mmCIF file of all heavy atoms in Angstrom:
data_model
loop_
_atom_site.group_PDB
_atom_site.id
_atom_site.type_symbol
_atom_site.label_atom_id
_atom_site.label_comp_id
_atom_site.label_asym_id
_atom_site.label_seq_id
_atom_site.Cartn_x
_atom_site.Cartn_y
_atom_site.Cartn_z
ATOM 1 N N LEU A 179 4.359 3.005 7.933
ATOM 2 C CA LEU A 179 5.001 3.053 9.250
ATOM 3 C C LEU A 179 4.264 4.114 10.058
ATOM 4 O O LEU A 179 4.183 5.269 9.624
ATOM 5 C CB LEU A 179 6.476 3.433 9.147
ATOM 6 C CG LEU A 179 7.381 2.504 8.351
ATOM 7 C CD1 LEU A 179 8.797 3.074 8.279
ATOM 8 C CD2 LEU A 179 7.397 1.113 8.963
ATOM 9 N N ALA A 180 3.737 3.748 11.203
ATOM 10 C CA ALA A 180 2.959 4.698 12.004
ATOM 11 C C ALA A 180 3.670 5.022 13.310
ATOM 12 O O ALA A 180 4.238 4.139 13.958
ATOM 13 C CB ALA A 180 1.569 4.127 12.290
ATOM 14 N N THR A 181 3.605 6.309 13.667
ATOM 15 C CA THR A 181 4.195 6.765 14.930
ATOM 16 C C THR A 181 3.144 7.276 15.903
ATOM 17 O O THR A 181 3.406 7.329 17.102
ATOM 18 C CB THR A 181 5.213 7.898 14.700
ATOM 19 O OG1 THR A 181 4.565 8.973 14.023
ATOM 20 C CG2 THR A 181 6.413 7.414 13.909
ATOM 21 N N GLU A 182 1.965 7.683 15.400
ATOM 22 C CA GLU A 182 0.952 8.289 16.260
ATOM 23 C C GLU A 182 -0.447 7.831 15.871
ATOM 24 O O GLU A 182 -0.705 7.549 14.705
ATOM 25 C CB GLU A 182 0.986 9.817 16.132
ATOM 26 C CG GLU A 182 2.288 10.444 16.550
ATOM 27 C CD GLU A 182 2.345 11.927 16.248
ATOM 28 O OE1 GLU A 182 1.300 12.607 16.366
ATOM 29 O OE2 GLU A 182 3.425 12.403 15.882
ATOM 30 N N LEU A 183 -1.333 7.795 16.852
ATOM 31 C CA LEU A 183 -2.757 7.552 16.651
ATOM 32 C C LEU A 183 -3.497 8.721 17.271
ATOM 33 O O LEU A 183 -3.354 8.987 18.468
ATOM 34 C CB LEU A 183 -3.180 6.232 17.296
ATOM 35 C CG LEU A 183 -4.668 5.885 17.233
ATOM 36 C CD1 LEU A 183 -5.128 5.677 15.788
ATOM 37 C CD2 LEU A 183 -4.950 4.635 18.061
ATOM 38 N N PHE A 184 -4.275 9.429 16.462
ATOM 39 C CA PHE A 184 -4.984 10.609 16.940
ATOM 40 C C PHE A 184 -6.156 10.217 17.845
ATOM 41 O O PHE A 184 -6.543 9.056 17.931
ATOM 42 C CB PHE A 184 -5.481 11.441 15.765
ATOM 43 C CG PHE A 184 -4.374 12.088 14.948
ATOM 44 C CD1 PHE A 184 -3.027 11.906 15.228
ATOM 45 C CD2 PHE A 184 -4.694 12.871 13.864
ATOM 46 C CE1 PHE A 184 -2.028 12.496 14.465
ATOM 47 C CE2 PHE A 184 -3.711 13.468 13.092
ATOM 48 C CZ PHE A 184 -2.390 13.287 13.396
ATOM 49 N N GLU A 185 -6.742 11.220 18.475
ATOM 50 C CA GLU A 185 -7.827 11.014 19.437
ATOM 51 C C GLU A 185 -9.036 10.294 18.850
ATOM 52 O O GLU A 185 -9.781 9.647 19.584
ATOM 53 C CB GLU A 185 -8.287 12.358 20.011
ATOM 54 C CG GLU A 185 -7.317 12.978 20.980
ATOM 55 C CD GLU A 185 -7.835 14.296 21.508
ATOM 56 O OE1 GLU A 185 -7.754 15.293 20.772
ATOM 57 O OE2 GLU A 185 -8.316 14.306 22.653
ATOM 58 N N ASP A 186 -9.256 10.411 17.546
ATOM 59 C CA ASP A 186 -10.423 9.765 16.935
ATOM 60 C C ASP A 186 -10.287 8.250 16.865
ATOM 61 O O ASP A 186 -11.207 7.556 16.454
ATOM 62 C CB ASP A 186 -10.706 10.339 15.545
ATOM 63 C CG ASP A 186 -9.607 10.065 14.526
ATOM 64 O OD1 ASP A 186 -8.649 9.315 14.821
ATOM 65 O OD2 ASP A 186 -9.707 10.616 13.412
ATOM 66 N N ASP A 187 -9.126 7.726 17.266
ATOM 67 C CA ASP A 187 -8.841 6.285 17.299
ATOM 68 C C ASP A 187 -8.855 5.648 15.908
ATOM 69 O O ASP A 187 -9.003 4.444 15.779
ATOM 70 C CB ASP A 187 -9.814 5.568 18.230
ATOM 71 C CG ASP A 187 -9.203 4.348 18.878
ATOM 72 O OD1 ASP A 187 -7.996 4.375 19.189
ATOM 73 O OD2 ASP A 187 -9.924 3.348 19.056
ATOM 74 N N ASP A 188 -8.704 6.488 14.865
ATOM 75 C CA ASP A 188 -8.672 5.976 13.496
ATOM 76 C C ASP A 188 -7.548 6.595 12.673
ATOM 77 O O ASP A 188 -6.943 5.930 11.850
ATOM 78 C CB ASP A 188 -10.003 6.237 12.785
ATOM 79 C CG ASP A 188 -10.012 5.678 11.375
ATOM 80 O OD1 ASP A 188 -9.812 4.446 11.222
ATOM 81 O OD2 ASP A 188 -10.210 6.451 10.419
ATOM 82 N N THR A 189 -7.247 7.862 12.902
ATOM 83 C CA THR A 189 -6.256 8.565 12.100
ATOM 84 C C THR A 189 -4.858 8.307 12.646
ATOM 85 O O THR A 189 -4.570 8.592 13.809
ATOM 86 C CB THR A 189 -6.527 10.081 12.074
ATOM 87 O OG1 THR A 189 -7.873 10.292 11.636
ATOM 88 C CG2 THR A 189 -5.564 10.799 11.150
ATOM 89 N N LEU A 190 -4.011 7.760 11.777
ATOM 90 C CA LEU A 190 -2.621 7.485 12.115
ATOM 91 C C LEU A 190 -1.733 8.513 11.425
ATOM 92 O O LEU A 190 -2.071 9.006 10.340
ATOM 93 C CB LEU A 190 -2.224 6.085 11.640
ATOM 94 C CG LEU A 190 -2.914 4.928 12.331
ATOM 95 C CD1 LEU A 190 -2.867 3.672 11.460
ATOM 96 C CD2 LEU A 190 -2.272 4.658 13.680
ATOM 97 N N PHE A 191 -0.598 8.821 12.031
ATOM 98 C CA PHE A 191 0.412 9.651 11.385
ATOM 99 C C PHE A 191 1.653 8.802 11.192
ATOM 100 O O PHE A 191 2.014 7.999 12.053
ATOM 101 C CB PHE A 191 0.782 10.878 12.226
ATOM 102 C CG PHE A 191 1.840 11.711 11.566
ATOM 103 C CD1 PHE A 191 1.516 12.608 10.562
ATOM 104 C CD2 PHE A 191 3.174 11.554 11.905
ATOM 105 C CE1 PHE A 191 2.508 13.350 9.919
ATOM 106 C CE2 PHE A 191 4.165 12.292 11.268
ATOM 107 C CZ PHE A 191 3.825 13.196 10.273
ATOM 108 N N GLY A 192 2.294 9.005 10.050
ATOM 109 C CA GLY A 192 3.528 8.286 9.794
ATOM 110 C C GLY A 192 3.955 8.415 8.352
ATOM 111 O O GLY A 192 3.666 9.411 7.682
ATOM 112 N N LEU A 193 4.623 7.395 7.873
ATOM 113 C CA LEU A 193 5.163 7.358 6.517
ATOM 114 C C LEU A 193 4.362 6.344 5.712
ATOM 115 O O LEU A 193 4.243 5.190 6.116
ATOM 116 C CB LEU A 193 6.644 6.971 6.566
ATOM 117 C CG LEU A 193 7.433 6.996 5.266
ATOM 118 C CD1 LEU A 193 7.499 8.405 4.684
ATOM 119 C CD2 LEU A 193 8.844 6.459 5.508
ATOM 120 N N ALA A 194 3.802 6.798 4.604
ATOM 121 C CA ALA A 194 2.991 5.930 3.749
ATOM 122 C C ALA A 194 3.681 5.750 2.407
ATOM 123 O O ALA A 194 4.154 6.709 1.808
ATOM 124 C CB ALA A 194 1.612 6.538 3.543
ATOM 125 N N ASP A 195 3.722 4.514 1.960
ATOM 126 C CA ASP A 195 4.333 4.169 0.674
ATOM 127 C C ASP A 195 3.370 3.244 -0.063
ATOM 128 O O ASP A 195 3.233 2.075 0.288
ATOM 129 C CB ASP A 195 5.676 3.480 0.914
ATOM 130 C CG ASP A 195 6.355 3.003 -0.357
ATOM 131 O OD1 ASP A 195 5.865 3.313 -1.464
ATOM 132 O OD2 ASP A 195 7.383 2.320 -0.242
ATOM 133 N N LEU A 196 2.703 3.778 -1.072
ATOM 134 C CA LEU A 196 1.735 2.989 -1.819
ATOM 135 C C LEU A 196 2.357 2.242 -2.990
ATOM 136 O O LEU A 196 1.663 1.600 -3.764
ATOM 137 C CB LEU A 196 0.580 3.870 -2.289
ATOM 138 C CG LEU A 196 -0.191 4.542 -1.149
ATOM 139 C CD1 LEU A 196 -1.334 5.391 -1.692
ATOM 140 C CD2 LEU A 196 -0.700 3.521 -0.153
ATOM 141 N N GLY A 197 3.680 2.332 -3.117
ATOM 142 C CA GLY A 197 4.378 1.577 -4.143
ATOM 143 C C GLY A 197 4.594 2.320 -5.451
ATOM 144 O O GLY A 197 4.906 1.706 -6.464
ATOM 145 N N PHE A 198 4.443 3.649 -5.427
ATOM 146 C CA PHE A 198 4.627 4.446 -6.635
ATOM 147 C C PHE A 198 5.965 5.180 -6.665
ATOM 148 O O PHE A 198 6.184 6.045 -7.505
ATOM 149 C CB PHE A 198 3.485 5.456 -6.792
ATOM 150 C CG PHE A 198 2.131 4.814 -6.836
ATOM 151 C CD1 PHE A 198 1.172 5.135 -5.894
ATOM 152 C CD2 PHE A 198 1.814 3.883 -7.814
ATOM 153 C CE1 PHE A 198 -0.076 4.540 -5.924
ATOM 154 C CE2 PHE A 198 0.571 3.287 -7.852
ATOM 155 C CZ PHE A 198 -0.380 3.611 -6.901
ATOM 156 N N GLY A 199 6.856 4.877 -5.722
ATOM 157 C CA GLY A 199 8.181 5.481 -5.713
ATOM 158 C C GLY A 199 8.285 6.807 -4.999
ATOM 159 O O GLY A 199 9.296 7.490 -5.124
ATOM 160 N N CYS A 200 7.243 7.189 -4.252
ATOM 161 C CA CYS A 200 7.300 8.479 -3.552
ATOM 162 C C CYS A 200 6.659 8.377 -2.163
ATOM 163 O O CYS A 200 5.551 8.851 -1.954
ATOM 164 C CB CYS A 200 6.650 9.582 -4.379
ATOM 165 S SG CYS A 200 4.991 9.186 -4.944
ATOM 166 N N PRO A 201 7.356 7.754 -1.224
ATOM 167 C CA PRO A 201 6.835 7.674 0.146
ATOM 168 C C PRO A 201 6.599 9.070 0.714
ATOM 169 O O PRO A 201 7.378 9.995 0.454
ATOM 170 C CB PRO A 201 7.959 6.965 0.915
ATOM 171 C CG PRO A 201 8.796 6.317 -0.128
ATOM 172 C CD PRO A 201 8.668 7.139 -1.363
ATOM 173 N N GLU A 202 5.508 9.218 1.481
ATOM 174 C CA GLU A 202 5.148 10.532 2.006
ATOM 175 C C GLU A 202 4.794 10.472 3.476
ATOM 176 O O GLU A 202 4.151 9.519 3.920
ATOM 177 C CB GLU A 202 3.932 11.082 1.253
ATOM 178 C CG GLU A 202 4.186 11.388 -0.195
ATOM 179 C CD GLU A 202 2.975 12.027 -0.860
ATOM 180 O OE1 GLU A 202 2.027 12.410 -0.149
ATOM 181 O OE2 GLU A 202 2.984 12.142 -2.087
ATOM 182 N N LEU A 203 5.193 11.511 4.193
ATOM 183 C CA LEU A 203 4.755 11.692 5.571
ATOM 184 C C LEU A 203 3.340 12.253 5.554
ATOM 185 O O LEU A 203 3.027 13.111 4.733
ATOM 186 C CB LEU A 203 5.665 12.672 6.305
ATOM 187 C CG LEU A 203 7.061 12.177 6.639
ATOM 188 C CD1 LEU A 203 7.918 13.326 7.145
ATOM 189 C CD2 LEU A 203 7.004 11.060 7.660
ATOM 190 N N GLY A 204 2.499 11.760 6.455
ATOM 191 C CA GLY A 204 1.144 12.282 6.526
ATOM 192 C C GLY A 204 0.244 11.385 7.338
ATOM 193 O O GLY A 204 0.707 10.508 8.072
ATOM 194 N N THR A 205 -1.044 11.618 7.196
ATOM 195 C CA THR A 205 -2.032 10.843 7.938
ATOM 196 C C THR A 205 -2.672 9.804 7.036
ATOM 197 O O THR A 205 -2.749 9.977 5.816
ATOM 198 C CB THR A 205 -3.119 11.755 8.529
ATOM 199 O OG1 THR A 205 -3.760 12.468 7.477
ATOM 200 C CG2 THR A 205 -2.534 12.723 9.541
ATOM 201 N N PHE A 206 -3.130 8.729 7.658
ATOM 202 C CA PHE A 206 -3.859 7.683 6.953
ATOM 203 C C PHE A 206 -4.822 7.036 7.928
ATOM 204 O O PHE A 206 -4.668 7.153 9.147
ATOM 205 C CB PHE A 206 -2.930 6.671 6.281
ATOM 206 C CG PHE A 206 -1.734 6.256 7.081
ATOM 207 C CD1 PHE A 206 -1.760 5.120 7.873
ATOM 208 C CD2 PHE A 206 -0.551 6.992 7.032
ATOM 209 C CE1 PHE A 206 -0.649 4.729 8.601
ATOM 210 C CE2 PHE A 206 0.566 6.610 7.762
ATOM 211 C CZ PHE A 206 0.517 5.475 8.544
#
């Protein structure tokens, strides 16, 4: 789930869940 796109037009901020049971806030 993304809420922001940084100036580089590639880095997103939001909630990432890779399916391991520990969703994390951060960049992707």
Side-chain angles (χ1 to χ4, degrees):
L179 299 177
T181 57
E182 298 173 36
L183 177 64
F184 293 2
E185 287 180 283
D186 65 7
D187 210 35
D188 182 59
T189 306
L190 294 158
F191 179 81
L193 185 63
D195 176 7
L196 300 181
F198 302 120
C200 52
E202 294 184 11
L203 289 170
T205 59
F206 41 94

